[in-house]
Structures are given as structure tokens and as C-alpha cells.
Amino acid sequence: RKEVEQDPGPFNVPEGATVAFNCTYSNSASQSFFWYRQDCRKEPKLLMSVYSSGNEDGRFTAQLNRASQYISLLIRDSKLSDSATYLCAGGMGGYNKLIFGAGTRLAVHP
Amino acid sequence: DVKVTQSSRYLVKRTGEKVFLECVQDMDHENMFWYRQDPGLGLRLIYFSYDVKMKEKGDIPEGYSVSREKKERFSLILESASTNQTSMYLCASSLWQGSSSYEQYFGPGTRLTVT
């Protein structure tokens, strides 16, 4: 089993839709989690950190469920510009490494 | 703003050549990382460094070596390039924190083609 797993998608949604991605992790000792956004042929860029109490930034909400070992990203009122691949990452301790999921592709259409 | 730069955006090399990929960060980060990214496989860690002259193998170190002579600079070396090393190479940096992990910031990537 991979340490961090994501549904690769693609998720095809119309503008204005609400879409949610989950990401499961296997190491219960993981302390820190992040969501990154990656546009085609570009580098991953930090979207948001995921805190135990949840984290909201505008249309984006990230949550952590330690009991079930997953993190989620909710995007409300999707825009065409949200089309990208979303990577989740978990901190596995030991030299501050992050383990990345393979990404979930989102395509928002008019 | 964290800035991570990589020496080349695109690189074409021949099989057997020695290849140097350079990465520089300007935020005084202790940790630096080299990944490769291939379709369907996601980001795979090649090597990382948590201090000058210190290095640790990641998940796929075979065929690669690294050098960190200065805190801001982390180099990835392909000793003898092979076609299966054609990939997107991404450098990242982060602050060091004891038992947890800070977010990593990525450079723009180097798309390497080995022919």
C-alpha cells in the first residue's frame, strides 16, 4: 500500500460546482499535511496547510480526519482557473521529508 | 517570498554524458530536496540534504549523486546519463523542524531529455 494515496481522477465539473478530494495516508505518526496545486508542466505550489482543526482560505477548505487517516480538500464555486492537479503531502518526520500523493486531476468546464 | 531557482528549464543530453543540475534557494532553508516526476508515478525523492555537506538517500538514488557545499545550493549529478533518466527534475527547500515537517517550496523544474 502506498503511504499517501489519491484518486487520480479526472474530476470533470461545471463552473460553480462544489468538488471534494480525499487523500489517505498510512503512517499514523504523520504530523503535518499540505495540499499543493500543480498546473500542467509547472512546479507544485503550496495551496494550503492542513490543521487538525481544519483550515479555510476563501473557496478552499482543508480538513484532517486522524481517526480514519485521511485529509480532504473542498473547493466551492469552482472556477475555470481551478483546473489543475492537486497533490496532497504528509510529513513523515525524520529530516522533514514529505511524502506526496500522485495527484488528483480537476477539470472545470464552462 | 521564497525563491528556488534551477539552472535550466530544458536540457537535452546524450547517453553516457555527465549531467549537472543546479538548485539555489534564497531563504536560508536548512533542507533541500531533489525529486523526479514522471506521469502516473508522482513525485519520487532522489536525495535530500539537511545541512551543508550532509546528504541522505531518498527512494530512488541509483544513478544519481548530490553535492551541497553551500547552504543555498544543492546540485544533482547524473554520473552517466541513461534514457530512463529522462524526466522532470524538481528541487525543493524547507525549513528544518524537529519532529514535524514544514512545507516545501519548489523550483520551476528542469525537463531533462536523454537521447
Side-chain angles (χ1 to χ4, degrees), chain A residues 9-21:
Chain A
F11 284 61
N12 293 299
V13 302
E15 273 186 290
T18 295
V19 62
F21 312 132

Side-chain angles (χ1 to χ4, degrees), chain A residues 2-3 31-32 34 36 38 41-46 49 87 90-102, chain B residues 9 31 33 35 37 42-43 45 48 50 56 88 90 95-108 111:
Chain A
K2 291 181 182 176
E3 291 187 78
Q31 295 291 322
S32 48
F34 307 94
Y36 284 78
Q38 186 173 25
R41 302 179 80 81
K42 296 286 184 72
E43 74 273 24
K45 292 189 176 175
L46 181 68
S49 303
L87 308 176
M92 300 296 159
Y95 305 117
N96 304 169
K97 289 194 293 182
L98 289 180
I99 306 297
F100 287 85
Chain B
R9 293 299 302 271
N31 298 325
F33 307 84
Y35 296 90
Q37 187 176 33
L43 283 163
L45 182 63
F48 63 100
Y50 54 93
E56 292 287 335
M88 169 74 121
L90 289 155
L95 288 168
W96 181 87
Q97 187 183 28
S99 61
S100 187
S101 299
Y102 277 116
E103 59 272 21
Q104 293 179 14
Y105 295 90
F106 286 85
R111 192 163 291 277

Side-chain angles (χ1 to χ4, degrees), chain B residues 12-30:
Chain B
V12 180
K13 294 292 181 180
R14 294 195 182 277
T15 301
E17 279 193 85
K18 192 168 186 175
V19 182
F20 293 87
L21 303 182
E22 299 280 326
C23 175
V24 178
Q25 51 94 4
D26 68 356
M27 285 304 292
D28 204 34
H29 283 173
E30 292 85 3

Side-chain angles (χ1 to χ4, degrees), chain B residues 34-36 44-47 57-61 64 76 89:
Chain B
W34 274 107
Y35 296 90
R36 64 177 283 178
R44 292 183 291 168
L45 182 63
I46 304 171
Y47 267 99
K57 292 180 180 179
D59 300 317
I60 51 164
Y64 303 94
L76 179 70
Y89 289 87

Side-chain angles (χ1 to χ4, degrees), chain B residues 55-71:
Chain B
K55 60 185 179 184
E56 292 287 335
K57 292 180 180 179
D59 300 317
I60 51 164
E62 297 77 21
Y64 303 94
S65 62
V66 290
S67 171
R68 192 161 181 206
E69 297 297 319
K70 293 185 178 181
K71 188 175 185 180

